[in-house]
């Protein structure tokens, strides 16, 4: 029992062990299965969440505020024009469509492709080189219409500028006629007011600005005396011409200059000493040492009678105060000509020992002039004998001498002699020498104070303060008239401005300079006019550096005030017709337009356009005119293509001489020889097939010859004939053109060469080189006035003259 029980117990224990092991195994499997499923669920969930997050992040825009490094500021762009452009293709297309409709209606002429380029350009800084007869004025008018009517630029923000009142009047007329096709119903009075505001000269625009920006001052160039002997500005009627075009100063202006000169001479020893040295040089004559051949017989007989002529000449001057103060009345040997022939001065200056030679006495009668001197074969009239001896002295004098020719010469001598010894006590009433001076390079002489004003004004047109540019001149290695002159100018200019300032007067140049400085400092008032925001400048080749600086600073001031609107400029001109360098204009400003008018970097550079078509002249004239430009150093390179067809008898330049080249001619003699030819060509032009109202234009280099010819060829009798100078001919035309006298540079201008170099504006280009180029351009202007024929008449053919470009007929 015990065994059975024991076995049963063992069996039960074994079964319980197996059951327990199975249960434990099953439980472990269950735990594993549960853990696997739990892990699977958790893994799937974790993977799903991770995948979801990754996908969500990839599929969304993430905006995140990050602490980034600060951006480097862009450098300031120094460009004045841009970066915005003017208009777009759709705007241009509308303008083309409207113009085409008006062309079909016969209201206007269709622009050429090159003209359309100018009309529709979107560049804010454009330079248009438009040759003679290229139709630039008509194109300019259409450009204005495009800006106003299609670009919607406000009227008050656009100004057209030209140089003279006459050119402005012509532009206004064309603008009113053409714009009237777009703007109907405007009264004539309204048009006139509108056009006067929109088209102005530089000086008219400046005048109105200065009245608000520089109040209380009058303009020097406009001053006149009223009936009550008070000073006031001349009534310009709103139009002010370029003062430099007048060339001559008025009575009021001369009075101001003379008074400033007198007060400075009496108060400033440095200025006084410079003036006295200038006067000495003006008084003194040096032998020419020229190649002139004087016949031995003339020298021989002149030598025999010279002392007799000297004595007679001195006697003729005694009624005029001879011997003058400081002069020893005693003949002194001045020249010994080959063969031992001696010639004498009338006396000498006691302190300096300078010889004094007298000319014809002011009181010399005709009888005295014809009185015989000398004997035998040497007997001759006194006047002829005196003229011969003066000619010999001018060629053979051994040293410099003072030649007193007339009453003005006496006054100049006395002014110099009073101060020559250097011991004069100066007082407010001291005499001041008033004399004429001719600087080397100037065509004529002028009073010392006028010469100082002319050269000082020239410096200001270069955009410089006079004293600043003079200070840049190098020290001279010897003192001559040029050095003494600019030393005197450096003292005179500040004194003149102070003298004018006391009377509340300023020159146009000073106003240009003042407004340029004011604008550059942002000093213009908020009420100053915005008319200079968009500028179209005609005849741009005649602009000066002074005016360029003013234009740019005025536009920069407007740009600073409103950068969104921007500013623009279009320069229209022809450097081939730049003829006012003597008054400070510079074609380089046109030639190097890109350098002087900077644009925003996004635009790269300015826009350069060329007008090559010539609608005025036949190809024979166009090609002959181009030959002159071949001798010009600085210019815009372009071709000129003629449209007008030549007909039988048309020709280019026909060159011929008139008169005796060995003898000088008075203007009266020149006119006498020229008038028959002019009459014949006038009649030929009047009877030619297809003749236009402008039949003949006659141009002279000298104003006095023009005056004589104009008197003999009155406009009432010679309808369609115009007589003028080369400079006055600018913008005119006729079927036949007659040029009289040559265009040539006679001598170097030392002072202006120095000023050009010191300014640094033109590189190695000298004033002399600029003048030689200008002589060719002036001739080009003359030649291109002719439509079908050009004649050129010169007294003699000069090797360096412009006329030498052609062969004599």
């Amino acid at each position: 029992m015990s065994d059975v029980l024991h076995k049963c117990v063992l069996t039960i224990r074994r079964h319980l062990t197996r059951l327990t092991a199975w249960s434990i195994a099953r439980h472990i499997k269950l735990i594993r299965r549960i853990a696997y499923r739990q892990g699977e669920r958790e893994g799937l969930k974790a993977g799903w969440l991770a995948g979801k997050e990754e996908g969500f992040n990839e599929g969304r825009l993430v905006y995140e505020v990050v602490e980034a490094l600060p951006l480097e500021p862009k450098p300031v762009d120094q460009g004045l024009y841009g970066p915005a452009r003017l208009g777009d293709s759709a705007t241009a297309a509308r303008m083309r469509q409207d113009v085409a409709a008006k062309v079909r209606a016969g209201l206007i002429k269709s622009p050429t492709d090159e003209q359309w380029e100018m009309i529709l350009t979107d560049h804010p800084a454009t330079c248009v080189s438009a040759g003679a007869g290229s139709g630039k004025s008509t194109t300019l008018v259409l450009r204005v219409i495009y800006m106003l009517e299609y670009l919607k630029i406000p009227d008050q923000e656009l100004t057209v500028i030209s140089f003279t009142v006459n050119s402005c009047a012509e532009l206004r007329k064309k603008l009113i006629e053409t714009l009237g096709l777009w703007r109907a119903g405007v009264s004539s009075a309204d048009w006139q007011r509108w056009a006067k505001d929109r088209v102005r000269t530089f000086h008219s625009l400046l005048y109105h600005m200065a009245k608000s920006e520089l109040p209380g001052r009058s303009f020097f160039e406009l001053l006149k005396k009223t009936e009550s002997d008070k000073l006031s500005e001349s009534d310009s009627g709103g139009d002010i011409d370029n003062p430099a075009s007048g060339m001559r100063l008025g009575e009021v202006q001369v009075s101001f200059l003379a008074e400033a000169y007198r007060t400075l001479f009496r108060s400033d020893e440095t200025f006084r000493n410079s003036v006295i040295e200038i006067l000495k040089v003006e008084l003194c004559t040096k032998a020419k040492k020229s190649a002139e051949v004087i016949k031995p017989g003339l020298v021989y007989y002149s030598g025999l009678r010279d002392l007799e002529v000297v004595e007679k000449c001195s006697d003729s001057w005694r009624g005029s105060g001879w011997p003058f103060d400081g002069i020893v009345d005693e003949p002194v040997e001045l020249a010994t000509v080959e063969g031992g022939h001696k010639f004498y001065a009338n006396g000498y200056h006691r302190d300096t020992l300078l010889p004094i030679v007298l000319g014809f006495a002011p009181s010399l009668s005709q009888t005295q002039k014809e009185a015989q001197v000398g004997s035998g074969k040497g007997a001759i009239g006194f006047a002829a004998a005196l003229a011969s001896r003066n000619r010999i002295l001018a060629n053979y004098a051994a040293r410099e001498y003072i030649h007193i020719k007339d009453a003005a010469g006496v006054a100049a001598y006395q002014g110099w002699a009073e101060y020559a010894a250097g011991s004069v006590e100066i007082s407010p009433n001291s005499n001041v020498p008033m004399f004429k001076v001719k600087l080397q390079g100037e065509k004529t002489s002028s009073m010392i104070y006028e010469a100082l004003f002319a050269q000082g004004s020239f410096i200001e047109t270069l955009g410089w303060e006079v004293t600043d540019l003079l200070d840049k001149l190098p020290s001279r290695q010897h003192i001559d008239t040029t050095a003494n002159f600019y030393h005197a100018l450096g003292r005179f200019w500040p004194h003149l401005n102070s003298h004018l300032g006391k009377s509340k007067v300023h020159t146009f140049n000073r106003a240009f300079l003042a407004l340029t400085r004011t604008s550059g400092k942002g000093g213009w008032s908020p009420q100053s006019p915005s008319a200079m925001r968009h500028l179209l400048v005609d005849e741009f080749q005649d602009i000066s550096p002074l005016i360029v600086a003013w234009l740019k600073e005025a536009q920069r001031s407007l740009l600073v005030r409103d950068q969104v609107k921007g500013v623009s400029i279009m320069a229209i001109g022809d450097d081939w017709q730049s003829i006012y360098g003597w008054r400070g204009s510079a074609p380089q400003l046109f030639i190097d337009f890109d350098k002087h008018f900077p644009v925003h970097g996004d635009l790269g550079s300015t826009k350069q356009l060329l007008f090559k078509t010539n609608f005025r002249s036949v190809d024979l004239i166009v090609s002959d005119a181009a030959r002159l430009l071949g001798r010009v150093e600085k210019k815009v390179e372009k071709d000129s293509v003629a449209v007008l067809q030549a007909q039988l008898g048309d020709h280019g330049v026909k060159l011929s001489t008139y008169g005796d080249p060995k003898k000088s001619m008075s203007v009266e003699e020149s006119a006498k020889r020229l008038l028959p030819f002019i009459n014949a060509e006038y009649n030929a032009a009047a009877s030619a097939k297809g003749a236009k109202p402008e039949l003949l234009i006659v141009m002279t280099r000298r104003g006095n010859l023009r005056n004589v010819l104009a008197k003999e060829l009155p406009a009432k009798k010679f309808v369609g004939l115009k007589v003028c100078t080369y400079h006055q001919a600018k913008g005119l035309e006729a079927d036949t053109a007659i040029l009289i006298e040559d265009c040539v540079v006679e001598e170097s201008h030392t002072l202006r060469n120095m000023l050009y170099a010191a300014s640094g504006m033109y590189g190695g280009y000298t004033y002399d080189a600029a003048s030689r180029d200008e002589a060719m351009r002036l001739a080009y202007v003359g030649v291109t006035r002719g439509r079908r024929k050009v004649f050129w008449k010169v007294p003699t053919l000069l090797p360096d003259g412009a006329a030498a470009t052609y062969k004599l007929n």
Side-chain angles (χ1 to χ4, degrees):
M1 183 64 181
S2 56
D3 291 338
V4 172
L5 182 60
H6 179 70
K7 288 181 181 178
C8 288
V9 170
L10 289 174
T11 301
I12 293 170
R13 182 182 293 173
R14 189 168 56 251
H15 285 294
L16 287 172
T17 301
R18 289 177 179 174
L19 179 63
T20 301
W22 178 82
S23 298
I24 292 170
R26 182 177 176 83
H27 184 69
I28 290 172
K29 286 181 179 179
L30 181 61
I31 291 173
R32 286 178 177 173
R33 189 179 297 117
I34 292 171
Y36 175 80
R37 289 175 178 174
Q38 180 69 23
E40 184 179 39
R41 284 195 301 271
E42 290 177 357
L44 286 171
K45 184 177 180 180
W48 181 81
L49 290 173
K52 179 183 177 182
E53 182 178 5
E54 182 178 354
F56 181 77
N57 288 338
E58 288 182 359
R60 69 173 179 169
L61 291 174
V62 179
Y63 293 91
E64 189 173 13
V65 178
V66 179
E67 189 70 25
L69 292 174
L71 291 174
E72 288 293 327
K74 290 184 178 180
V76 175
D77 192 301
Q78 297 300 320
L80 180 55
Y81 305 96
R85 291 180 176 268
L86 302 172
D88 51 36
S89 57
T91 308
R94 289 199 303 274
M95 172 74 171
R96 284 181 179 271
Q97 291 171 1
D98 290 349
V99 168
K102 290 173 175 56
V103 170
R104 288 192 297 272
L107 300 174
I108 57 176
K109 292 183 179 180
S110 179
T112 64
D113 290 342
E114 61 187 15
Q115 289 172 339
W116 270 122
E117 260 198 294
M118 171 180 159
I119 296 166
L120 302 176
T121 181
D122 64 355
H123 202 293
T126 303
C127 180
V128 184
S129 182
S134 59
K136 66 181 178 66
S137 296
T138 303
T139 313
L140 172 59
V141 167
L142 288 175
R143 172 64 181 178
V144 172
I145 291 172
Y146 178 62
M147 296 180 76
L148 295 178
E149 300 301 302
Y150 297 87
L151 299 183
K152 300 303 180 183
I153 290 172
D155 287 17
Q156 68 273 15
E157 292 184 357
L158 181 143
T159 299
V160 180
I161 303 177
S162 195
F163 274 80
T164 66
V165 168
N166 289 338
S167 62
C168 283
E170 184 180 347
L171 280 172
R172 285 171 187 150
K173 180 180 178 183
K174 289 181 178 180
L175 187 54
I176 290 172
E177 290 174 352
T178 310
L179 188 55
L181 302 175
W182 272 262
R183 293 182 179 180
V186 181
S187 70
S188 176
D190 288 340
W191 270 129
Q192 294 300 325
R193 284 192 296 271
W194 179 90
K196 185 162 284 191
D197 287 340
R198 301 280 60 80
V199 183
R200 290 182 172 180
T201 63
F202 281 110
H203 294 79
S204 175
L205 190 58
L206 174 78
Y207 178 84
H208 293 286
M209 287 187 177
K211 286 300 180 183
S212 61
E213 299 299 322
L214 303 171
R217 287 178 173 261
S218 299
F219 279 92
F220 173 73
E221 292 87 348
L222 301 181
L223 289 179
K224 66 173 185 177
K225 282 189 176 181
T226 63
E227 293 181 2
S228 59
D229 209 30
K230 292 182 179 180
L231 290 178
S232 66
E233 286 185 349
S234 56
D235 182 13
S236 63
D239 269 349
I240 298 174
D241 221 333
N242 189 328
S245 63
M247 296 182 64
R248 291 182 179 275
L249 294 169
E251 179 185 350
V252 173
Q253 288 72 31
V254 169
S255 177
F256 262 104
L257 296 178
E259 183 57 28
Y261 167 77
R262 289 189 192 95
T263 56
L264 185 62
F265 186 91
R266 290 167 179 152
S267 63
D268 188 321
E269 183 179 4
T270 302
F271 177 74
R272 185 164 58 248
N273 291 339
S274 295
V275 168
I276 293 302
E277 287 302 312
I278 294 170
L279 176 53
K280 177 184 174 182
V281 173
E282 287 301 306
L283 285 171
C284 288
T285 299
K286 292 183 179 180
K288 298 176 184 176
K289 307 298 182 185
S290 66
E292 181 184 4
V293 177
I294 299 179
K295 294 179 180 180
L298 178 61
V299 174
Y300 173 76
Y301 287 113
S302 293
L304 290 179
R305 62 178 178 254
D306 193 65
L307 281 172
E308 180 185 353
V309 174
V310 167
E311 183 179 353
K312 193 174 186 66
C313 181
S314 296
D315 288 343
S316 69
W317 275 87
R318 296 196 190 281
S320 300
W322 177 264
F324 311 122
D325 290 344
I327 290 179
V328 177
D329 182 13
E330 178 183 310
V332 57
E333 186 178 322
L334 185 54
T336 300
V337 185
E338 186 177 354
H341 306 293
K342 296 184 182 299
F343 294 85
Y344 298 84
N346 297 74
Y348 61 91
H349 184 251
R350 182 181 295 107
D351 295 321
T352 63
L353 303 182
L354 278 170
I356 310 295
V357 173
L358 297 172
F360 291 96
S363 60
L364 200 64
S365 67
Q366 188 62 33
T367 301
Q368 290 173 311
K369 290 180 181 180
E370 295 173 355
Q372 293 286 297
V373 292
S375 60
K377 292 183 178 181
I380 191 174
F382 172 64
L386 187 57
S388 296
R389 103 181 207 87
N390 287 340
R391 179 183 168 197
I392 292 168
L393 287 174
N395 281 276
Y396 296 108
R399 54 197 175 112
E400 65 180 10
Y401 59 94
I402 294 177
H403 190 186
I404 299 176
K405 301 176 183 179
D406 49 27
V410 174
Y413 163 78
Q414 291 172 334
W416 168 77
E418 185 174 353
Y419 296 94
S423 58
V424 178
E425 290 188 13
I426 305 299
S427 73
N429 296 317
S430 294
N431 291 327
V432 176
M434 313 293 274
F435 61 96
K436 286 190 173 183
V437 60
K438 181 184 178 301
L439 285 182
Q440 184 182 12
E442 291 292 322
K443 294 185 182 300
T444 59
S445 59
S446 58
M447 295 301 292
I448 177 65
Y449 43 82
E450 293 183 55
L452 289 166
F453 181 73
Q455 301 308 318
S457 297
F458 177 81
I459 292 173
E460 287 187 334
T461 62
L462 298 180
W464 283 80
E465 288 284 1
V466 171
T467 51
D468 289 346
L469 188 53
L470 291 177
D471 189 52
K472 288 177 65 66
L473 296 181
S475 299
R476 299 306 297 273
Q477 293 171 291
H478 71 283
I479 299 299
D480 56 8
T481 298
T482 300
N484 281 314
F485 187 89
Y486 71 68
H487 289 159
L489 179 57
R491 312 289 289 191
F492 178 73
W493 206 253
H495 177 74
L496 173 64
N497 287 323
S498 174
H499 180 72
L500 294 175
K502 291 175 183 177
S503 298
K504 296 185 177 180
V505 172
H506 57 188
T507 64
F508 273 99
N509 280 355
R510 297 307 301 173
F512 276 123
L513 285 168
L515 285 181
T516 299
R517 288 193 296 265
T518 302
S519 175
K521 296 178 180 178
W524 277 16
S525 66
Q527 291 77 32
S528 62
S530 59
M532 296 178 73
R533 186 171 292 280
H534 298 283
L535 296 175
L536 296 99
V537 186
D538 195 19
E539 302 292 349
F540 194 89
Q541 73 280 350
D542 294 326
I543 204 169
S544 70
L546 172 66
I547 293 178
V548 163
W550 172 62
L551 290 180
K552 290 196 296 186
E553 288 303 330
Q555 289 198 305
R556 189 171 295 281
S557 176
L558 292 170
L559 181 67
V560 169
R561 197 180 306 166
D562 188 341
Q563 295 187 48
V564 175
K565 283 187 175 181
V567 294
S568 74
I569 188 168
M570 175 176 280
I572 310 103
D574 183 13
D575 64 291
W576 292 8
Q577 298 184 73
S578 179
I579 56 175
Y580 292 103
W582 49 273
R583 73 182 186 197
S585 69
Q588 288 85 350
L589 300 168
F590 187 84
I591 297 169
D592 300 323
F593 184 80
D594 190 61
K595 182 193 303 182
H596 297 284
F597 291 84
V599 301
H600 193 280
D602 290 355
L603 293 181
S605 63
T606 59
K607 181 82 169 180
Q608 305 280 340
L609 300 177
L610 297 178
F611 278 18
K612 299 180 180 180
T613 307
N614 185 307
F615 296 97
R616 177 187 297 157
S617 307
V618 296
D619 58 349
L620 298 168
I621 294 176
V622 171
S623 59
D624 269 358
R627 291 170 61 188
L628 290 161
L629 274 297
R631 298 173 63 183
V632 173
E633 180 182 346
K634 301 286 186 181
K635 59 181 178 291
V636 173
E637 297 289 349
K638 62 177 179 286
D639 299 322
S640 189
V641 181
V643 171
L644 188 63
Q645 294 295 312
Q647 60 189 30
L648 185 64
D650 292 349
H651 58 74
V653 177
K654 284 192 175 182
L655 177 66
S656 60
T657 59
Y658 67 94
D660 186 345
K662 295 181 180 180
K663 296 181 180 179
S664 61
M665 286 182 289
S666 65
V667 291
E668 290 77 15
E669 178 64 21
S670 294
K672 183 178 179 181
R673 291 176 178 271
L674 291 164
L675 283 169
F677 175 78
I678 295 172
N679 271 286
E681 289 306 321
Y682 173 76
N683 292 330
S687 60
K689 180 182 177 181
K692 291 192 175 181
E694 307 88 7
L695 297 173
L696 180 66
I697 182 169
V698 178
M699 294 159 279
T700 69
R701 285 290 285 116
R702 294 176 295 168
N704 52 2
L705 179 55
R706 172 209 57 197
N707 294 340
V708 173
L709 288 174
K711 185 178 180 180
E712 297 294 330
L713 300 164
K716 289 183 178 180
K717 180 179 179 182
F718 293 86
V719 178
L721 185 150
K722 177 73 175 179
V723 182
C724 56
T725 64
Y726 283 66
H727 285 88
Q728 291 170 333
K730 190 86 169 287
L732 303 178
E733 59 184 83
D735 288 346
T736 301
I738 299 177
L739 287 69
I740 298 173
E741 303 172 307
D742 208 347
C743 300
V744 63
V745 179
E746 296 177 356
E747 62 177 355
S748 175
H749 202 303
T750 304
L751 177 59
R752 291 193 175 183
N753 281 328
M754 294 169 64
L755 295 172
Y756 257 45
S759 72
M761 292 188 295
Y762 306 125
Y765 194 53
T766 65
Y767 181 80
D768 286 350
S771 297
R772 288 192 294 271
D773 281 357
E774 187 162 304
M776 298 303 123
R777 295 195 298 265
L778 184 61
Y780 173 84
V781 168
V783 170
T784 54
R785 297 313 93 191
R787 297 190 191 107
R788 297 194 173 276
K789 297 179 183 179
V790 176
F791 296 94
W792 200 340
K793 308 283 283 185
V794 296
T796 185
L797 194 59
L798 304 171
D800 296 331
T805 306
Y806 310 101
K807 292 182 179 180
L808 285 170
N809 283 277

